[in-house]
Amino acid sequence: MSESPKAMEAFIDTMIAALGPEQVITDYALRYALGTDASFYRLTPQCVILVKSAEQVQKVILSAGEYRLPVTFRAAGTSLSGQAISDSVLVLLSDDWQDYRVAEDGSWISLSPSLIGARVNRILAPYGRKIGPDPASINSCKIGGIAANNASGMCCGVKHNSYHTLKDMAIILADGTYLDTADAHSRAAFRQSHGELLASLEQLAQRVRNNQALSARIAHKYRLKNTTGYGLNALVDHQDGIEIIKHLMIGSEGTLGFIANITYNTVIEPRFKRTGLFTFADVQSACVLIEQLSSLPIAAVEMLDKRALLSVQDHAVMPQDIADFPPEATALLIEISDENQQALNELMSSVDAILAQYQAQLVHQYPLSDDAELAQALWNVRKGTFPAVGAVRETGTTVIIEDVAFALADLSRGIKALHYLFDKHGYAEAIIFGHALAGNLHFVFTQAFDSPEQIQRYEAFMADVAQLVAVELQGSLKAEHGTGRNMAPFVALEWGDDGYAVMGQIKLLFDSQGILNPGVIINHDPRAHVQHVKTMPTSDAQIDKCIECGFCEPVCPSKEYTLTPRQRISLKRHEQQLALQQAPQKAPQQASDPNLIRRLASVRQSYQHLAIDSCAATGLCATRCPVGIDTGAYIKSLRAEQMQHKPVISKIAAWSANHFAMSSVLARVGVRGAHLSAKLVGTPRLERFSAQLQRRFGTPLYFSGWPRAQHDLPLGGKVSDGKEKVVYVPSCGNRIFANATEPSVQQRLQSLCDKAGLTLVVPEAVAELCCGMPWQSHGFSDVATQKQLQLQRVIAQLSEQGRWPVVMDASPCALQSQPQEQSVIRVLDSMRFASEYLLPRLAIETTQEPLWLHITCSSQHLDGGTAMLSVARALSSKVSTTEVSCCGFAGDKGFTHPQLNDHALRCVNECKPQGCSVGYSNSRTCEVGLTRHTGVSFSSLLDLLDERAAALTR
């Protein structure tokens, strides 16, 4: 296969003509950033294409075949084995591709490949069902990736994985053919056009079934979890060619075709659960118990070795003396569940009877309990093991997680042998945990790839692991993470020459040109797993712990507009790596590499817009990051560095803070002036002129949905003895911008407190107060700190050092104003205040009128949005949300960088309740952006609460 620059240029031209330039990415900095995935491999694609439909995928595949260019498909990029990277054409699934259909009873669901797994389960929740696969990355990974990797998870086992819950599939093959197995006409047409392929597959399947040794090996391997190589069980489980194709696509990692749609048979989500954690003195006892439990319908048994327990010992529910546990201490997290309470009680009796036999071996236990809070805490312990290693790893190393599977009879031996290999190869930090009922073990360790010695160490370790798992114990080298590049050299070792030859024939039948994700699964390079390894250079203490997993990406508003947190970090690392390579460490007479100079210039030039200017900097990414990185805070620090070199702007910022009352007046004057101009010249004309100024100079964008300016309002209740007080600091947003409706937010809160018998206490100099966020967001950290301290002094005095709560009517301000941990002062956003102080004191009639809610980033930070939801559910039994993690307005960016807000809300109307004309939130600027993009008037949820609430009869 030839791959020439001319062929790539022609392909790019063809794709631009077919899809448009916005979906075909050739800029070096963007290509590098978008080429990042969760694995420890790195390739930079020459072209990245964003696809939004099956028709677009067909065009890409046909054109790639015409020019003989390798093409790799990427869903969310959370895969760990190098199966989603490319140095040729990388095809990314756009988030816009979100179609689905559900059976009336929820028994099946048909899905586009870009839907995130957790969202699918939210769609199925009203039916009491879910999809079978439950990978740990389900909040981030997409359906296309789940199916293409046959990802499973903690409760999925073998029975409920994609292979066994597959109903139908739409597939695009390497020749561009579209096959929908759910459509009789499509199947008939395919049999007519691809009879030779079907006959060849059916003959191959017959030969495999006739090979008794291979058939027996297949049966053994798929009693375990197994994703090593192609799913050869498709050849023994099915005789019809289309069924074979459909099932071979599961776990094929984009090397046989593209999954354009998949229909899953769903599984029941049990209503009743009990969870416990049991720690044994030795691994043998734990593994014997696992075998006994495997005969019962247990939902999950998760195993953690002592090293894993030590890595999460800071969790509140963990015992403090783990270090004193025996060296072989092994914990089992056990969960049982059922739709029927009586059946669950009977199951619990059986489990308790078995556990009673092991009391002497237990060193610690949490007995099985229906305490939901404890259960969540125990699951958080289990889920915290992987990030715990990432958080403490040495800078410059990457985290590697491997997954293998053993027969349960060999589980104890396998664990002990792995511990021996860790010690032999110097991986003292390595831990083991896993899905014990399936004999599926994950082991996590850290590895640098910055020297030949480190690469040789990893290579020797993997050779020993492969020999242990595949040969000595006849297990699976890959249980659920896919083969990728990392395990490709060992596929033949696990499957034998005859099994590997069958896989080679499968690849040739589906992809005769070898253009679909070459190098993955079938790779004849015995050292492929140590080629193109990713280095993790030191960059900045705030981001060095990033493991590039991509868990942050679904909540980032700039995803697919510019960059995500993972991509911002990856590109910054690359910039610094290029700078080091360019550093004058070589002989003065040595010429610089022109390609290196061009790349460094491209990255530096692009980073300002891609990473700094377009970041919402809300820190929502930190809520998803397994090691707690707040990329927004890092971007703010870069802005602060830049502001140090702009003294004039810094002086203006300081003046605005020192004269904030005047600054607010000027802002209101500006708002009124904009509206007056619109009346004089006409709104469309002003919008066009404003858009030109905004693009050229970054001035605020005027649009027809601009908020009105707020009027000065008298605030403060009458202070009377015997009444509880509440300190109220109106946000500057609500002091500058008027509410969408009358009365104002301030008046609404006053009214609600009057009804509830609470007295509002408002600072006298409130016009000078601000939480500091406007300056913090723009890089003026010193000014922000000054305003924060000023505010803290005032609320400390008025709250009488915490005697009374402090409420702020905008959630971003409440988040920014949270006091130090040791402080007794409580700063609440309006929704937490309403939930705790108003609802118990008010009479509210819950209606069935649909209520559309936007949960702001800051509310998610504060309490996950629970307070806002509790208030909304007190008002309506039909609450739905915008399903937008972040609206992208980000303070003032909706005015100064409106493209971010436009992009973040591009799909918001898809979840608009029927007949909805009003929406609610708790941040004025977010409400402005939502109003503009939905055609629905968004205002504070306090509006509706005040309209519906009455004082309790006393």
Side-chain angles (χ1 to χ4, degrees):
M1 181 171 59
S2 62
E3 183 180 344
S4 68
K6 288 186 177 180
M8 181 61 73
E9 289 175 10
F11 170 80
I12 290 171
D13 289 342
T14 301
M15 287 295 95
I16 290 174
L19 306 180
E22 69 282 352
Q23 290 181 239
V24 183
I25 299 161
T26 58
D27 172 75
Y28 175 76
L30 257 179
R31 285 190 286 116
Y32 183 92
L34 295 173
T36 304
D37 80 342
S39 75
F40 54 97
Y41 296 96
R42 158 66 67 184
L43 289 171
T44 303
Q46 296 180 54
C47 173
V48 178
I49 298 179
L50 195 66
V51 292
K52 302 180 179 182
S53 67
E55 292 76 16
Q56 291 186 357
V57 175
Q58 282 181 292
K59 292 176 182 178
V60 173
I61 290 178
L62 285 169
S63 187
E66 178 184 352
Y67 295 106
R68 301 177 65 81
L69 294 173
V71 60
T72 296
F73 307 112
R74 159 93 61 80
T78 58
S79 54
L80 298 162
S81 301
Q83 57 265 64
I85 59 173
S86 173
D87 58 0
S88 180
V89 178
L90 180 65
V91 178
L92 304 183
L93 306 190
S94 167
D95 289 343
D96 295 345
W97 196 354
Q98 298 278 316
D99 307 316
Y100 66 87
R101 285 189 306 118
V102 191
E104 288 186 7
D105 61 354
S107 60
W108 56 260
I109 186 167
S110 179
L111 302 162
S112 295
S114 281
L115 283 153
I116 288 175
R119 186 185 173 211
V120 174
N121 283 341
R122 289 195 297 272
I123 293 168
L124 289 169
Y127 302 90
R129 304 186 74 88
K130 62 180 181 178
I131 57 172
D134 61 337
S137 59
I138 196 165
N139 289 324
S140 306
C141 62
K142 295 182 176 181
I143 288 297
I146 290 174
N149 290 286
N150 199 17
S152 47
M154 288 175 272
C155 300
C156 169
V158 174
K159 181 180 178 182
H160 290 151
N161 64 14
S162 290
Y163 182 93
H164 288 291
T165 57
L166 173 64
K167 187 176 189 297
D168 277 298
M169 184 184 289
I171 306 160
I172 302 174
L173 297 180
D175 62 0
T177 300
Y178 182 87
L179 166 64
D180 181 357
T181 69
D183 183 279
H185 295 293
S186 181
R187 292 197 308 271
F190 189 82
R191 291 187 191 281
Q192 186 71 28
S193 63
H194 287 72
E196 187 176 342
L197 170 62
L198 293 173
S200 296
L201 283 171
E202 290 166 1
Q203 292 167 12
L204 182 61
Q206 186 61 54
R207 289 201 300 272
V208 168
R209 290 193 292 272
N210 291 340
N211 185 332
Q212 293 184 1
L214 180 56
S215 294
R217 192 180 314 137
I218 291 170
H220 166 71
K221 290 290 186 183
Y222 290 104
R223 277 192 292 268
L224 309 174
K225 275 188 176 182
N226 193 309
T227 58
T228 309
Y230 293 122
L232 295 185
N233 50 341
L235 300 177
V236 296
D237 294 344
H238 303 281
Q239 298 184 28
D240 175 73
I242 287 180
E243 286 299 312
I244 292 172
I245 289 176
K246 186 168 75 175
H247 287 83
L248 276 175
M249 290 298 296
I250 299 295
S252 62
E253 301 175 25
T255 63
L256 302 181
F258 177 82
I259 299 172
N261 184 278
I262 185 168
T263 301
Y264 280 108
N265 291 311
T266 61
V267 300
I268 293 172
E269 174 67 277
R271 289 182 295 167
F272 305 104
K273 298 179 181 181
R274 292 185 182 174
T275 312
L277 181 69
F278 305 85
T279 304
F280 297 82
D282 63 287
V283 65
Q284 183 68 32
S285 297
C287 289
V288 172
L289 172 63
I290 292 165
E291 280 197 85
Q292 289 181 271
L293 293 176
S294 67
S295 64
L296 299 174
I298 307 293
V301 178
E302 292 293 299
M303 192 217 78
L304 301 91
D305 70 358
K306 182 179 178 180
R307 288 174 176 175
L309 291 172
L310 285 169
S311 74
V312 290
Q313 62 182 336
D314 292 336
H315 285 245
V317 293
M318 297 302 290
Q320 298 302 304
D321 58 344
I322 296 175
D324 298 328
F325 286 3
E328 283 195 5
T330 304
L332 298 180
L333 173 61
I334 301 174
E335 183 163 283
I336 59 176
S337 61
D338 203 283
E339 266 293 279
N340 181 279
Q341 183 69 67
Q342 183 178 348
L344 181 62
N345 291 339
E346 293 172 0
L347 177 58
M348 182 168 175
S349 297
S350 300
V351 174
D352 282 342
I354 295 174
L355 285 168
Q357 305 169 25
Y358 293 87
Q359 291 302 307
Q361 287 79 35
L362 286 171
V363 295
H364 183 271
Q365 66 174 309
Y366 283 104
L368 289 168
S369 164
D370 59 3
D371 184 334
E373 189 173 331
L374 174 61
Q376 187 59 57
L378 294 177
W379 277 109
N380 288 343
V381 166
R382 159 61 184 86
K383 294 175 181 179
T385 48
F386 172 48
V389 175
V392 299
R393 80 183 196 278
E394 291 184 17
T395 301
T397 64
T398 189
V399 179
I400 297 177
I401 178 170
E402 285 298 345
D403 69 309
V404 298
F406 301 111
L408 290 184
D410 296 323
L411 191 57
S412 175
R413 183 182 169 195
I415 293 169
K416 292 177 180 179
L418 286 172
H419 279 140
Y420 168 76
L421 293 181
F422 297 155
D423 294 337
K424 174 184 175 181
H425 294 280
Y427 294 107
E429 78 290 351
I431 66 173
I432 295 177
F433 57 87
H435 319 313
L437 276 180
N440 178 193
L441 302 178
H442 300 298
F443 53 94
V444 181
F445 57 100
T446 61
Q447 172 75 51
F449 291 104
D450 54 1
S451 70
E453 292 77 18
Q454 288 286 357
I455 293 174
Q456 288 167 11
R457 178 171 73 128
Y458 175 73
E459 192 171 5
F461 173 66
M462 288 304 296
D464 280 354
V465 168
Q467 183 68 23
L468 166 71
V469 177
V471 179
E472 295 178 25
L473 296 182
Q474 291 294 300
S476 306
L477 282 168
K478 279 294 182 181
E480 59 180 9
H481 290 173
T483 306
R485 286 172 160 75
N486 190 35
M487 209 54 73
F490 304 103
V491 175
L493 180 70
E494 176 166 337
W495 281 102
D497 291 341
D498 51 353
Y500 192 62
V502 169
M503 292 182 186
Q505 288 177 276
I506 291 171
K507 173 66 172 174
L508 190 61
L509 285 172
F510 278 83
D511 180 23
S512 59
Q513 289 191 94
I515 65 168
L516 299 182
N517 210 4
V520 171
I521 297 183
I522 302 297
N523 193 322
H524 299 292
D525 181 355
R527 300 190 73 243
H529 59 308
V530 291
Q531 307 294 330
H532 311 297
V533 291
K534 183 189 293 182
T535 57
M536 303 286 268
T538 301
S539 179
D540 186 285
Q542 295 180 81
I543 59 173
D544 279 343
K545 295 302 180 185
C546 176
I547 54 180
E548 300 187 1
C549 63
F551 285 9
C552 57
E553 293 190 337
V555 296
C556 179
S558 59
K559 183 176 188 285
E560 293 186 12
Y561 166 52
T562 52
L563 299 182
T564 65
R566 164 168 68 173
Q567 293 159 358
R568 287 180 169 92
I569 291 172
S570 179
L571 192 58
K572 174 56 70 174
R573 284 172 168 167
H574 187 49
E575 177 194 336
Q576 296 183 339
Q577 194 173 30
L578 290 172
L580 283 174
Q581 293 173 353
Q582 187 63 16
Q585 298 173 350
K586 50 186 179 273
Q589 67 273 16
Q590 185 175 347
S592 297
D593 182 348
N595 287 329
L596 191 66
I597 294 172
R598 281 196 297 270
R599 289 175 179 175
L600 181 58
S602 172
V603 171
R604 284 178 169 167
Q605 181 178 1
S606 300
Y607 202 78
Q608 184 68 40
H609 170 65
L610 295 178
I612 298 176
D613 293 343
S614 61
C615 179
T618 62
L620 200 56
C621 47
T623 65
R624 295 290 189 92
C625 176
V627 293
I629 296 170
D630 185 344
T631 309
Y634 172 65
I635 293 299
K636 289 177 184 177
S637 72
L638 296 183
R639 292 172 184 169
E641 289 178 15
Q642 294 179 345
M643 288 304 122
Q644 291 177 1
H645 305 290
K646 298 179 179 180
V648 175
I649 298 177
S650 297
K651 287 180 180 179
I652 294 172
W655 184 92
S656 68
N658 292 329
H659 304 83
F660 191 58
M662 178 60 70
S663 300
S664 299
V665 169
L666 292 174
R668 288 195 293 269
V669 169
V671 173
R672 293 188 184 106
H675 284 300
L676 178 60
S677 300
K679 286 183 179 180
L680 293 174
V681 303
T683 297
R685 200 173 191 179
L686 182 60
E687 285 180 331
R688 289 194 297 271
F689 180 64
S690 174
Q692 293 173 357
L693 291 178
Q694 198 283 319
R695 285 192 296 269
R696 188 168 182 180
F697 302 110
T699 55
L701 177 71
Y702 178 83
F703 46 87
S704 59
W706 252 48
R708 295 170 294 107
Q710 181 62 280
H711 299 288
D712 289 328
L713 294 169
L715 292 170
K718 296 178 181 179
V719 179
S720 57
D721 294 335
K723 279 193 173 183
E724 293 183 59
K725 298 178 184 177
V726 178
V727 178
Y728 174 36
V729 183
S731 66
C732 56
N734 282 322
R735 300 199 307 262
I736 294 171
F737 301 122
N739 195 20
T741 61
E742 294 290 349
S744 68
V745 172
Q746 296 93 328
Q747 290 169 320
R748 291 291 193 185
L749 193 59
Q750 177 73 71
S751 171
L752 285 163
C753 286
D754 288 343
K755 294 174 186 177
L758 299 171
T759 298
L760 280 185
V761 179
V762 179
E764 290 183 7
V766 67
E768 287 291 348
L769 298 181
C770 181
C771 67
M773 183 176 288
W775 296 276
Q776 186 78 42
S777 297
H778 288 83
F780 304 107
S781 52
D782 291 342
V783 178
T785 300
Q786 169 195 329
K787 297 303 290 183
Q788 287 169 354
L789 291 175
Q790 179 189 22
L791 178 61
Q792 292 296 330
R793 286 193 295 268
V794 171
I795 63 177
Q797 179 183 5
L798 290 181
S799 69
E800 299 178 26
Q801 302 302 318
R803 182 183 179 190
W804 310 115
V806 178
V807 62
M808 294 184 169
D809 55 31
S811 57
C813 304
L815 178 64
Q816 180 78 2
S817 302
Q818 291 301 300
Q820 298 296 322
E821 289 185 7
Q822 65 272 19
S823 174
V824 295
I825 300 171
R826 293 193 72 203
V827 178
L828 309 174
D829 77 308
S830 59
M831 292 298 102
R832 175 59 65 185
F833 172 69
S835 177
E836 292 187 15
Y837 288 85
L838 297 179
L839 293 186
R841 294 171 167 86
L842 298 172
I844 302 170
E845 181 183 355
T846 305
T847 72
Q848 292 187 347
E849 182 180 337
L851 193 159
W852 200 21
L853 199 64
H854 175 67
I855 300 174
T856 59
C857 302
S858 40
S859 291
Q860 294 175 61
H861 274 293
L862 287 165
D863 63 4
T866 56
M868 183 183 284
L869 284 167
S870 71
V871 174
R873 287 167 181 159
L875 295 165
S876 171
S877 60
K878 295 182 178 179
V879 176
S880 57
T881 68
T882 59
E883 295 189 14
V884 174
S885 295
C886 175
C887 70
F889 209 95
D892 64 352
K893 277 197 177 294
F895 299 124
T896 63
H897 203 111
Q899 299 85 353
L900 179 62
N901 184 230
D902 298 345
H903 179 79
L905 295 180
R906 67 196 185 282
C907 301
V908 67
N909 280 322
E910 293 178 6
C911 58
K912 182 194 298 185
Q914 191 171 6
C916 174
S917 60
V918 182
Y920 299 97
S921 190
N922 63 341
S923 172
R924 188 70 195 104
T925 52
C926 296
E927 293 157 15
V928 170
L930 287 159
T931 299
R932 179 188 178 204
H933 289 283
T934 62
V936 166
S937 178
F938 269 79
S939 64
S940 171
L941 188 56
L942 293 176
D943 290 357
L944 187 60
L945 181 60
D946 185 39
E947 289 173 7
R948 298 269 182 86
L952 287 174
T953 303
R954 301 181 188 279

